[in-house]
């Protein structure tokens, strides 16, 4: 069992994210963003929590299903089992994870002040997220999905620091937009980079669409 190495950048990685840089942003929409985002956050919560909640007689099986079966609305356990025992990744399960990833990222981009457009439930808008559908027999190791979550721990250690940094950057960007109407380009690139890094790790460890180890990089 091997872990494929990657270059320092994420060029050619099977999970990609680009967000169009806005030349101008609305001061009023930015000022009240924390209020404006509530309806779409409720919709996202109902979508993901509704899928994650499975009625069981015991709290322990419910917790296991919530974490490993359908985590945050994303299908994890069903693809894992089919990869292990059938060497397949059903296309509709892949498409579900892809579209939910796109919708989640549009909401995240809006909440992070990266874009003014209200998140669409189906159109990509200015947020371009793509996952490559895997050729299971050629591209995926049959047993690696069992340990990917552990192999990704170093990434989550680094990402925890980056996520804290993102919160600080978004707060600073909020003030910058209120006074100038612009998102400082360096701050924008940092926030997008953190989202991009997170996507790659999720694609590797939880969506199971690639065996290529994610690069430690904010770059595209």
């Amino acid at each position: 069992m091997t872990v494929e190495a990657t270059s320092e950048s994420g060029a050619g990685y099977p999970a990609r994210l680009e967000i169009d840089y806005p030349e101008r942003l609305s001061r009023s929409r930015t000022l009240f963003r924390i209020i404006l985002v509530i309806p779409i956050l409720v919709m996202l919560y109902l979508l993901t929590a509704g899928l994650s909640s499975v009625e069981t007689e015991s709290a322990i099986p419910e917790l296991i299903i919530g974490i490993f079966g359908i985590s945050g609305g994303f299908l994890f356990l069903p693809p894992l089992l089919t990869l292990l025992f059938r060497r397949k990744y059903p296309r509709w399960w892949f498409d579900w994870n892809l579209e939910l990833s796109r919708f989640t990222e549009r909401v995240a981009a809006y909440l992070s002040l990266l874009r003014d457009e209200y998140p669409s439930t189906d159109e990509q808008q200015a947020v371009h997220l793509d996952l490559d559908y895997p050729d299971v027999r050629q591209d995926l190791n049959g047993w690696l999905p069992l340990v990917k979550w552990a192999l990704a721990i170093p990434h989550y250690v680094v990402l925890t620091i980056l996520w804290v940094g993102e919160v600080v950057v978004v707060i600073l960007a909020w003030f910058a937009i209120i006074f100038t109407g612009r998102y400082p380009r360096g701050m924008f690139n940092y926030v997008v980079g953190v989202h991009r890094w997170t996507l790659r790790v999720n694609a590797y460890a939880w969506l199971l669409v690639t065996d290529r180890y994610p690069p430690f990089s904010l770059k595209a």
Side-chain angles (χ1 to χ4, degrees):
M1 179 175 63
T2 60
V3 178
E4 296 184 27
T6 61
S7 61
E8 182 179 354
S9 73
Y13 197 77
R16 298 172 298 279
L17 173 66
E18 294 292 341
I19 301 177
D20 298 339
Y21 178 73
E23 294 300 327
R24 302 290 296 181
L25 290 168
S26 168
R27 291 181 173 89
S28 60
R29 293 179 183 177
T30 299
L31 181 63
F32 298 105
R33 183 63 52 90
I34 196 64
I35 298 175
L36 297 173
V37 76
I38 291 175
I40 200 68
L41 281 179
V42 170
M43 182 180 297
L44 182 59
Y45 171 78
L46 292 175
L47 177 65
T48 57
L51 284 170
S52 298
S53 60
V54 180
E55 294 296 330
T56 61
E57 296 180 358
S58 170
I60 296 178
E62 182 175 347
L63 178 62
I64 294 174
I65 292 172
I67 295 176
F68 296 105
I70 306 175
S71 180
F74 293 97
L75 297 173
F76 170 67
L77 186 57
L80 172 63
L81 293 177
T82 57
L83 286 172
L84 290 176
F85 299 112
R86 297 291 305 279
R87 303 294 291 134
K88 294 175 61 177
Y89 198 130
R91 184 65 193 234
W92 77 269
W93 289 349
F94 171 86
D95 290 341
W96 169 262
N97 283 340
L98 172 60
E99 293 304 325
L100 185 54
S101 297
R102 286 172 171 171
F103 177 47
T104 302
E105 183 55 42
R106 287 192 292 270
V107 175
Y110 185 71
L111 184 60
S112 301
L113 312 177
L114 299 173
R115 300 294 307 184
D116 271 348
E117 302 91 351
Y118 205 72
S120 170
T121 56
D122 54 352
E123 298 176 359
Q124 289 205 52
Q125 297 176 310
V127 179
H128 312 288
L129 186 155
D130 285 298
L131 303 173
D132 291 343
Y133 181 66
D135 184 330
V136 174
R137 296 190 178 278
Q138 292 188 12
D139 301 335
L140 300 181
N141 181 295
W143 297 101
L144 191 57
L146 292 174
V147 297
K148 282 183 176 180
W149 63 272
L151 296 174
I153 288 176
H155 278 281
Y156 283 113
V157 173
V158 177
L159 280 171
T160 299
I161 300 172
L162 295 178
W163 289 331
V164 173
E166 179 184 348
V167 172
V168 175
V169 168
V170 170
I171 293 173
L172 295 175
W174 185 87
F175 285 101
I177 297 168
I178 295 300
F179 288 108
T180 69
R182 295 177 62 88
Y183 205 123
R185 190 63 184 253
M187 293 183 178
F188 180 91
N189 290 341
Y190 173 80
V191 174
V192 174
V194 174
H195 291 200
R196 183 183 293 127
W197 191 329
T198 303
L199 170 68
R200 291 176 184 146
V201 175
N202 287 340
Y204 172 79
W206 303 108
L207 303 182
L208 308 177
V209 299
T210 181
D211 281 354
R212 289 182 55 188
Y213 198 70
F216 288 79
S217 174
L218 300 173
K219 300 178 181 179

